[in-house]
Amino acid sequence: MSPLATGQSATLATADHDGVLVVALDRPPANAMNRQLIHDLAGLFEHLRARPDAPPIVLTGQGERFFSAGGDIKELEGAHAGEIEIRMREFHALLVAMDRYPRPVVSAINGHCVGGGMEVAVFSDSVLAVSSARFGFPEINHGLLPADKGIQRANQVLGVRVTRRIILSGELFDAQHALDIGLVDELVTDPGELIPVAVATARTAGSKAPVLYGALKSSVNDADDVRDEASLQRTLRAAAAYFDDPVARELRQRWSGRRAPAAKVQSC
């Protein structure tokens, strides 16, 4: 594989596990998704997609507590409106790249998976998680919004009623509830087994004929340039509205200026 695909970049740690590429988001302490991480991850998917030997991918988070804490809210401090548009365009591009990647993508959720991390999870073909993982879309409580494309995929994966509840409440929920609603496919009790199980899952899926797997995945995902452009424009209009809104700004300032309180965990 190319140097980009294996080794270390500023925000990603990658390793080839006998044909399965394990990609760890690597921005301690919480693997928050700043523009550089988003750019690097989208670039990785686009780069590998162009290869005839594109590998199955396992996504995880570096460390033991966070898959990803979502978008890096501190990156928005002092930013102007044009910067939020660039950021949302880049995140939309990441979701599009994941949507169109023709090979298996498995998310191995090793800890908190919220906001943008949740969007990455719903664009994965399979999701495994440790029992201690926590999930949610807390943006409404922090003065932000998920990307429209991420919301639409959550609707498809989880159903509109579930998506409405978790997005409009902003509450976090536990791994068992994530399993119950269909976000997670399998819970892994031993954290040390998460990556081996995820790699085995990706390898099994990757053993299918690539031309058939890619065609079926394309049909299931039903990617469409016109819908993607409309979704991007909805994201940009919403971002322009909330970025300068005084209530949303105050929520962002309060959140970025203090340590997060203990998450309220829902168990259903």
Side-chain angles (χ1 to χ4, degrees):
M1 293 183 183
S2 72
L4 177 62
T6 58
Q8 188 83 28
S9 74
T11 62
L12 304 175
T14 57
D16 181 3
H17 287 236
D18 295 325
V20 174
L21 187 66
V22 175
V23 181
L25 311 185
D26 188 12
R27 283 200 72 234
N31 300 324
M33 302 179 75
N34 68 347
R35 283 185 57 194
Q36 186 63 55
L37 189 154
I38 293 166
H39 175 81
D40 289 350
L41 192 56
L44 183 69
F45 273 103
E46 288 289 357
H47 170 78
L48 294 175
R49 177 188 174 198
R51 297 175 60 117
D53 60 344
I57 292 176
V58 170
L59 295 174
T60 193
Q62 199 80 311
E64 299 178 354
R65 295 186 55 221
F66 290 92
F67 176 78
S68 176
D72 188 349
I73 195 169
K74 290 189 176 182
E75 190 177 54
L76 297 179
E77 294 176 1
H80 55 75
E83 290 178 80
I84 187 66
E85 176 175 334
I86 294 171
R87 176 190 175 111
M88 296 313 297
R89 283 184 180 276
E90 291 180 337
F91 190 74
H92 175 86
L94 167 60
L95 299 184
V96 169
M98 291 188 66
D99 200 18
R100 302 185 185 206
Y101 190 69
R103 303 289 283 138
V105 178
V106 177
S107 278
I109 309 300
N110 57 304
H112 277 63
C113 174
V114 299
M118 275 279 288
E119 293 177 78
V120 167
V122 296
F123 275 86
S124 301
D125 303 308
S126 299
V127 179
L128 285 66
V130 296
S131 300
S132 59
R134 297 292 182 267
F135 300 85
F137 284 104
E139 285 93 335
I140 193 171
N141 297 327
H142 300 163
L144 297 166
L145 288 174
D148 181 82
K149 186 172 175 67
I151 295 172
Q152 301 312 316
R153 179 54 55 87
N155 279 341
Q156 295 166 1
V157 172
L158 307 176
V160 174
R161 184 172 294 278
V162 169
T163 299
R164 181 187 295 121
R165 171 169 54 80
I166 64 178
I167 284 183
L168 295 183
S169 72
E171 293 182 355
L172 302 190
F173 51 91
D174 61 25
Q176 181 59 54
H177 188 57
L179 181 68
D180 293 341
I181 65 177
L183 172 62
V184 168
D185 299 293
E186 181 180 350
L187 296 183
V188 179
T189 303
D190 181 358
E193 289 298 311
L194 178 63
I195 297 303
V197 173
V199 167
T201 299
R203 180 170 291 115
T204 296
S207 69
K208 308 297 183 184
V211 67
L212 302 180
Y213 189 96
L216 290 171
K217 181 172 176 176
S218 178
S219 292
V220 170
N221 289 358
D222 192 24
D224 179 87
D225 290 340
V226 174
R227 282 202 307 270
D228 277 345
E229 179 60 26
S231 186
L232 172 60
Q233 293 306 317
R234 283 194 294 270
T235 292
L236 296 181
R237 286 194 297 271
Y242 76 68
F243 188 73
D244 288 326
D245 179 80
V247 176
R249 185 187 303 115
E250 183 180 356
L251 287 171
R252 291 195 300 273
Q253 290 171 344
R254 289 201 333 234
W255 177 251
S256 64
R258 61 173 171 80
R259 185 178 297 274
K264 180 178 179 181
V265 176
Q266 174 182 348
S267 179
C268 299

